[in-house]
């Protein structure tokens, strides 16, 4: 029996296998006297020099004098290996063909009992001709030129496969080797760990000196105890915490720079020996403390035993607490700066609305209602300015003296909510928001911003934050129902919250019904936190349906199409085509059309024009009037001159006609002379 125990070492073992080979290579085309003999007596390095050593090597350490004949087959490229009967009896289960300058695997007949086969230090490019060795347990192809793992599908008993120092680029064709205990693939060109999840009995995996950039796809290796990944290009590690038996992990000389990239190691309860030397992370001052603090079960780090003193030092939390305190202090400063900024924005807003006189910045903005105080953060009321922060500690108070209290806008993303304070915050919509952040925002809140300014950025909002479903307005000067028309240009609105503070429109009894009517294509779910019912939609249609009908019916077609623009021309034509059809058919088609085109055309007539746009249009109209007036004056002047010329012509025409007739009669009075004159003129013209 060959023992099933293996041991790992960092260098070549001292005990080597001594063997003498007597090889006779005979070809059928050579006479007997032309035999070529090679005698090789040397010390053969043990397999442990490549990190892995099988205990069975010691069972054969005294073997001497293999006599092997390689005779040519019918195919000259595959020599046939033959051994004497004595050799077969003495070393029946072991065959060593190392350093024989082989370029192919020879055909091995009559050796089906072999359990150990050694081809190391040759020039073999492909694994072949060993499919009949179904009892093989140990196969060594170290230091060859193999580019692909193949030809092993029948070796179901194989437990040790050594393919180090070859040219393999991909781990493959190991599906049938479910009994593998050791797999050595170091010194190849492998870029990815794959196709090993079925090796549930594998205990040692060596992938050192490859081209790996990350570690994953390790699930299923439930027996793995040692994983060697030295000298790769690894930047992060995953799935190692899913290896229940892993004890030794070697990650020396890679590109690991942060603990976060290997944080899964902290969740491994079996890992006892790990190496990071030669990585950027090993140069950090916090390296050892962080590793030991997060991996308390380690017994060795970078091939050095972890002492109890080192564990105690790593367990000291004073430094961590200090960092935590600093972070908390930083967060407090940020929160206070946010509070001060909101108060400054609120003061500026009040000045614009002429609610308060222009007072000094160190005076309070007294607000009694907690719901109206924008300085309330996380449920605790804080005062407006640094001199009022008596509840804060002295260190924070001193730090607040350096905060700017002149900021006039604030942009904040908190979870799925984008909050904009002050008109200057609208410029943030021009930023290059990341796809992740923009896609995460579902609620947009506007505070202390004129609604007319908000209307101008709604197209940007629709593009930048396509998932925004909930709009909030507080202190935005919503004063009339027509302003809600502007929201129709958004992609979708599920919820609308209009704060009574600074929005007089909510004092109108029917404002909610108008919103439901004008924005009916959004199928709104909530308004100011209240669920929208079917009865609300019916009431909205009854109250304002006639308004949309009047708005659309009073306009001529060309004017309506110009207002709608290209986006709704198709819908308008559809409505014109449905006129004259049967009511039932029209209703069915209307349902489909509504789903396709969204906003109703009649409602689309209800637009909102901001004051700035309205003023611009007035100026444009004035310019057009001026141009038309000048144009008409020029036309009238030109027409007057033409008329005067016509009257003068009418007065002169009788006399002109008499003179023309007289000249013609005189000219043709002498017919011969006239004809000669005409011929002369014709001749001159030619």
């Amino acid at each position: 029996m060959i023992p099933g125990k293996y041991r790992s070492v960092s260098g070549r073992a001292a005990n080597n296998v001594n063997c003498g080979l007597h090889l006779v290579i005979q070809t059928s085309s050579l006479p007997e006297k032309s035999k070529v003999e090679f005698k090789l007596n040397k010390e053969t390095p043990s397999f442990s020099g490549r990190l892995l050593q099988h205990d069975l090597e010691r069972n054969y350490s005294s073997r001497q004098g293999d006599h092997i004949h390689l005779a040519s087959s019918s195919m000259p490229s595959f020599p046939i290996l033959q051994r004497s009967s004595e050799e077969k009896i003495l070393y029946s289960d072991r065959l060593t063909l190392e350093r024989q300058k082989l370029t192919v695997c020879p055909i091995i007949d009559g050796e089906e009992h072999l359990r150990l086969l050694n081809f190391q230090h040759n020039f073999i490019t492909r694994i072949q001709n060993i499919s009949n060795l179904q009892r093989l347990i140990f196969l060594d192809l170290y230091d060859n030129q193999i580019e692909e793992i193949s030809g092993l599908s029948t070796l179901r008993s194989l437990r040790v496969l050594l393919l180090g120092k070859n040219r393999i680029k991909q781990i493959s064709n190991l599906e049938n080797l479910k009994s593998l205990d050791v797999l050595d693939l170091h010194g190849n060109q492998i870029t990815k760990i794959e196709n090993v999840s079925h090796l549930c009995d594998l205990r040692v995996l060596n992938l050192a000196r490859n081209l790996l950039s990350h570690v994953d796809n390790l699930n299923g290796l439930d027996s793995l105890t040692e994983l060697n990944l030295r000298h790769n290009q690894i930047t992060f590690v995953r799935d190692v915490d899913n290896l229940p038996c892993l004890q030794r992990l070697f990650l020396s000389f890679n590109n690991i720079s942060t603990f976060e990239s290997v944080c899964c190691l902290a969740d491994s309860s079996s890992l006892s020996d790990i190496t990071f030397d030669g990585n950027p992370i090993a140069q950090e001052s916090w390296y050892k403390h962080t590793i030991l603090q997060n991996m308390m079960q380690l017994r060795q780090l970078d091939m050095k035993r972890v002492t109890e003193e080192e564990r105690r030092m790593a367990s000291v939390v004073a430094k961590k607490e200090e960092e935590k305190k600093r972070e908390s202090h930083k967060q407090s400063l940020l929160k206070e700066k946010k509070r001060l900024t909101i108060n400054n924005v609120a003061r500026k807003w009040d000045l614009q609305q002429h609610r308060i006189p222009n007072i000094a910045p160190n005076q309070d903005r007294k607000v009694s209602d907690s719901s109206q105080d924008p300085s309330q953060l996380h449920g605790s009321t804080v005062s407006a300015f640094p001199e009022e922060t008596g509840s804060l500690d002295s260190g924070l108070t001193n730090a607040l003296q350096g905060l700017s209290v002149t900021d006039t806008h604030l942009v904040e993303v908190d979870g799925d909510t984008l909050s904009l304070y002050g008109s200057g915050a609208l410029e943030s919509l021009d930023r290059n928001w990341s796809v992740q952040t923009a896609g995460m925002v579902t609620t947009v809140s506007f505070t202390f911003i004129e609604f007319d300014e908000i209307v101008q950025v709604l197209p940007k909002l629709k593009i930048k934050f396509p998932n925004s479903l909930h709009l909030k307005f507080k202190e935005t000067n919503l004063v009339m129902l027509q302003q809600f028309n502007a929201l129709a240009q958004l992609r979708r609105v599920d919820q609308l919250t209009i704060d009574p503070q600074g929005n007089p429109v909510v004092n109108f009894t029917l404002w909610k019904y108008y919103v439901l009517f004008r924005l009916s294509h959004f199928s709104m779910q909530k308004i100011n936190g209240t669920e929208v019912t079917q009865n609300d939609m019916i009431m909205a249609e009854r109250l304002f349906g006639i308004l949309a009908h009047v708005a659309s019916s009073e306009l001529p077609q060309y004017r309506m199409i110009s207002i709608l623009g290209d986006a709704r021309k198709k819908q308008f034509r559809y409505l014109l085509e449905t006129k004259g059809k049967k009511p039932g058919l029209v209703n069915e088609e209307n349902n489909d059309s509504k789903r396709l085109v969204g906003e109703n055309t009649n409602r689309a007539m209800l637009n909102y024009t901001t004051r700035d746009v309205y003023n611009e249009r007035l100026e444009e109209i004035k310019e057009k009037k001026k141009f038309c007036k000048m144009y008409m004056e020029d036309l009238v002047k030109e027409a007057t001159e033409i008329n005067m010329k016509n009257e003068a012509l009418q007065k002169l025409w009788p006399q002109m006609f008499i003179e023309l007739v007289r000249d013609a009669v005189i000219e043709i009075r002498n017919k011969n002379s006239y004809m000669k004159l005409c011929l002369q003129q014709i001749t001159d013209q030619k």
Side-chain angles (χ1 to χ4, degrees):
M1 292 292 294
I2 294 178
K5 179 181 178 183
Y6 309 89
R7 71 173 184 267
S8 301
V9 294
S10 59
R12 290 191 175 273
N15 56 331
N16 295 326
V17 180
N18 298 321
C19 60
L21 296 180
H22 184 82
L23 303 182
V24 179
I25 302 177
Q26 175 182 348
T27 62
S28 57
S29 60
L30 295 176
E32 183 67 24
K33 63 181 180 179
S34 300
K35 286 184 180 179
V36 182
E37 293 190 356
F38 297 89
K39 289 189 177 181
L40 177 61
N41 290 284
K42 61 178 181 172
E43 287 189 350
T44 303
S46 67
F47 305 118
S48 60
R50 298 176 309 281
L51 178 66
L52 306 171
Q53 177 175 343
H54 199 288
D55 285 350
L56 63 84
E57 292 177 337
R58 292 175 297 187
N59 299 337
Y60 299 93
S61 59
S62 60
R63 183 176 66 85
Q64 298 287 335
D66 282 352
H67 294 276
I68 301 170
H69 296 263
L70 294 176
S72 66
S73 66
S74 59
M75 298 176 61
S77 59
F78 294 105
I80 300 175
L81 183 141
Q82 297 177 352
R83 290 199 298 176
S84 64
S85 57
E86 292 83 1
E87 291 293 327
K88 289 184 179 181
I89 294 173
L90 187 59
Y91 309 112
S92 61
D93 59 352
R94 175 176 178 135
L95 177 61
T96 299
L97 292 172
E98 65 180 275
R99 301 185 188 276
Q100 299 303 308
K101 299 183 179 180
L102 296 173
T103 58
V104 296
C105 296
I107 298 175
I108 304 175
D109 285 335
E111 301 280 0
E112 288 76 9
H113 50 275
L114 280 180
R115 306 185 74 184
L116 185 149
L117 182 58
N118 180 3
F119 282 117
Q120 63 175 281
H121 301 298
N122 282 289
F123 304 99
I124 297 171
T125 59
R126 183 178 179 185
I127 306 172
Q128 52 192 346
N129 299 327
I130 61 173
S131 58
N132 59 318
L133 308 178
Q134 298 184 10
R135 295 184 182 181
L136 201 64
I137 290 178
F138 194 109
L139 177 59
D140 189 351
L141 285 158
Y142 172 75
D143 190 17
N144 279 277
Q145 298 179 10
I146 299 169
E147 296 182 358
E148 181 184 10
I149 303 174
S150 60
L152 304 174
S153 59
T154 61
L155 308 182
R156 299 180 182 273
S157 299
L158 196 64
R159 298 184 62 188
V160 179
L161 178 58
L162 307 181
L163 289 169
K165 202 175 178 182
N166 278 279
R167 300 175 181 178
I168 298 170
K169 297 180 180 179
Q170 183 179 14
I171 304 175
S172 60
N173 300 320
L174 299 176
E175 291 77 11
N176 295 333
L177 307 185
K178 297 182 180 180
S179 299
L180 266 187
D181 189 67
V182 176
L183 177 59
D184 182 9
L185 291 168
H186 83 278
N188 282 283
Q189 302 170 22
I190 298 170
T191 60
K192 181 180 180 182
I193 301 176
E194 58 186 345
N195 302 321
V196 296
S197 59
H198 62 287
L199 302 177
C200 56
D201 292 332
L202 190 69
R203 293 198 301 120
V204 178
L205 177 59
N206 187 0
L207 290 168
R209 296 186 183 278
N210 276 280
L211 303 175
L212 299 174
S213 61
H214 55 276
V215 180
D216 53 8
N217 297 328
L218 296 174
N219 293 327
L221 301 179
D222 296 338
S223 300
L224 194 67
T225 60
E226 179 173 314
L227 178 59
N228 188 351
L229 299 168
R230 290 187 176 103
H231 292 282
N232 278 279
Q233 303 167 13
I234 297 169
T235 57
F236 67 88
V237 177
R238 295 175 184 164
D239 295 344
V240 173
D241 52 322
N242 296 327
L243 302 176
C245 297
L246 187 66
Q247 299 177 12
R248 295 174 295 280
L249 176 62
F250 305 110
L251 288 165
S252 305
F253 300 100
N254 280 284
N255 293 327
I256 299 170
S257 58
T258 64
F259 181 75
E260 288 72 18
S261 60
V262 294
C263 61
C264 64
L265 302 178
D267 298 326
S268 175
S269 58
S270 60
L271 198 60
S272 61
D273 190 352
I274 193 168
T275 63
F276 285 107
D277 54 298
N279 283 275
I281 190 176
Q283 306 300 321
E284 300 291 344
S285 58
W286 46 262
Y287 158 65
K288 196 168 188 178
H289 294 293
T290 302
I291 296 297
L292 295 180
Q293 180 67 26
N294 289 276
M295 304 175 68
M296 300 295 294
Q297 77 281 10
L298 282 185
R299 290 184 296 180
Q300 283 197 122
L301 176 61
D302 296 333
M303 306 302 290
K304 296 179 181 179
R305 188 175 64 87
V306 178
T307 65
E308 291 300 322
E309 179 63 23
E310 289 173 333
R311 294 186 191 278
R312 282 194 295 269
M313 291 179 62
S315 299
V316 175
V317 295
K319 185 177 181 179
K320 291 186 65 177
E321 289 297 328
E322 181 63 24
E323 291 295 328
K324 187 176 180 180
K325 184 178 179 180
R326 289 180 182 177
E327 184 63 24
S328 177
H329 185 73
K330 180 181 177 180
Q331 293 299 323
S332 298
L333 289 176
L334 292 176
K335 290 178 181 178
E336 186 63 14
K337 184 172 183 179
K338 172 187 172 182
R339 186 188 62 79
L340 293 175
T341 301
I342 293 176
N343 274 284
N344 291 331
V345 175
R347 177 177 290 104
K348 182 180 179 181
W349 175 261
D350 285 345
L351 290 173
Q352 290 177 350
Q353 306 303 314
H354 306 291
R355 297 179 185 174
I356 58 174
N358 192 356
I359 58 177
N362 61 345
Q363 292 181 296
D364 295 340
R365 180 178 184 262
K366 304 289 185 178
V367 181
S368 58
D369 187 3
S370 62
S371 65
Q372 299 175 346
D373 186 3
S375 66
Q376 287 197 344
L377 301 174
H378 303 287
S380 61
T381 304
V382 288
S383 54
F385 299 99
E387 55 267 29
E388 300 170 351
T389 57
S391 60
L392 301 176
D393 58 57
S394 58
L396 180 58
T397 302
N398 294 333
L400 287 174
Q401 302 301 325
L403 289 178
S404 171
V405 293
T406 59
D407 294 334
T408 57
H409 67 272
L410 175 66
V411 180
E412 180 185 33
V413 177
D414 185 10
D416 62 350
T417 302
L418 171 65
S419 299
L420 305 175
Y421 300 85
S423 59
L426 298 177
E427 298 176 0
S428 66
L429 297 179
D430 292 325
R431 295 179 185 172
N432 292 325
W433 294 86
S434 68
V435 176
Q436 181 180 4
T437 301
M440 183 174 57
V441 172
T442 60
T443 302
V444 182
S445 175
F446 300 93
T447 309
F448 305 119
I449 308 174
E450 284 283 347
F451 185 80
D452 283 1
E453 296 182 47
I454 297 173
V455 171
Q456 299 175 18
V457 300
L458 288 180
K460 297 178 182 178
L461 181 67
K462 179 174 64 174
I463 297 173
K464 294 285 187 177
F465 302 96
N467 297 328
S468 57
L469 305 175
H470 185 187
L471 298 182
K472 295 182 178 181
F473 298 92
K474 180 179 180 181
E475 293 279 8
T476 56
N477 264 350
L478 273 166
V479 296
M480 54 185 177
L481 298 179
Q482 292 92 321
Q483 289 174 301
F484 291 116
N485 298 341
L487 302 180
Q489 61 185 298
L490 294 174
R491 180 177 283 107
R492 180 180 174 187
V493 178
D494 285 353
Q495 296 187 54
L496 186 65
T497 301
I498 310 297
D499 196 296
Q501 182 180 351
N503 295 308
V505 72
V506 300
N507 296 325
F508 297 166
T509 305
L510 302 179
W511 76 273
K512 290 184 180 179
Y513 293 110
Y514 184 80
V515 170
L516 292 176
F517 167 76
R518 182 60 186 87
L519 306 179
S520 61
H521 59 289
F522 288 150
S523 299
M524 201 169 295
Q525 299 175 5
K526 288 184 179 181
I527 296 181
N528 278 12
T530 303
E531 293 284 348
V532 175
T533 65
Q534 187 64 29
N535 291 334
D536 293 334
M537 299 298 296
I538 295 173
M539 180 59 71
E541 186 66 29
R542 288 177 179 176
L543 290 172
F544 296 101
I546 189 64
L547 177 65
H549 176 71
V550 171
S552 60
S553 61
E554 292 296 322
L555 289 175
Q557 282 190 22
Y558 75 92
R559 179 59 178 156
M560 187 178 297
I561 292 177
S562 65
I563 293 176
L564 289 176
D566 295 335
R568 295 191 177 94
K569 286 181 180 178
K570 181 179 179 182
Q571 181 184 9
F572 180 74
R573 294 193 186 98
Y574 169 82
L575 294 176
L576 292 178
E577 291 171 0
T578 57
K579 291 182 179 180
K581 292 188 178 181
K582 295 181 180 180
L585 180 60
V586 172
N587 290 335
E588 292 176 0
E589 293 180 355
N590 273 338
N591 292 333
D592 295 335
S593 175
K594 186 174 182 180
R595 287 192 295 269
L596 291 174
V597 297
E599 185 181 3
N600 184 277
T601 306
N602 291 340
R603 291 173 173 80
M605 296 297 100
L606 303 175
N607 293 319
Y608 173 66
T609 304
T610 63
R611 285 191 292 268
D612 293 338
V613 174
Y614 180 74
N615 292 334
E616 290 176 2
R617 289 184 179 178
L618 285 179
E619 292 296 325
E620 183 180 352
I621 291 173
K622 290 180 181 179
E623 291 294 328
K624 288 181 178 179
K625 286 183 177 180
K626 183 178 179 181
F627 172 80
C628 291
K629 182 178 180 181
M630 294 175 61
Y631 182 73
M632 291 302 298
E633 289 176 352
D634 292 339
L635 288 178
V636 170
K637 183 178 180 182
E638 184 178 353
T640 302
E641 292 176 354
I642 293 173
N643 186 58
M644 292 174 63
K645 291 179 180 179
N646 185 47
E647 291 178 355
L649 179 61
Q650 293 297 327
K651 293 179 180 180
L652 296 174
W653 176 247
Q655 183 62 31
M656 293 173 61
F657 182 75
I658 293 173
E659 292 178 359
L660 289 172
V661 172
R662 185 190 60 187
D663 293 340
V665 171
I666 293 173
E667 189 173 353
I668 64 173
R669 183 173 51 184
N670 188 341
K671 185 176 180 180
N672 293 329
S673 300
Y674 177 72
M675 291 177 65
K676 289 181 180 180
L677 179 63
C678 289
L679 289 173
Q680 185 63 38
Q681 290 178 351
I682 293 172
T683 303
D684 294 338
Q685 289 178 359
K686 292 181 178 180

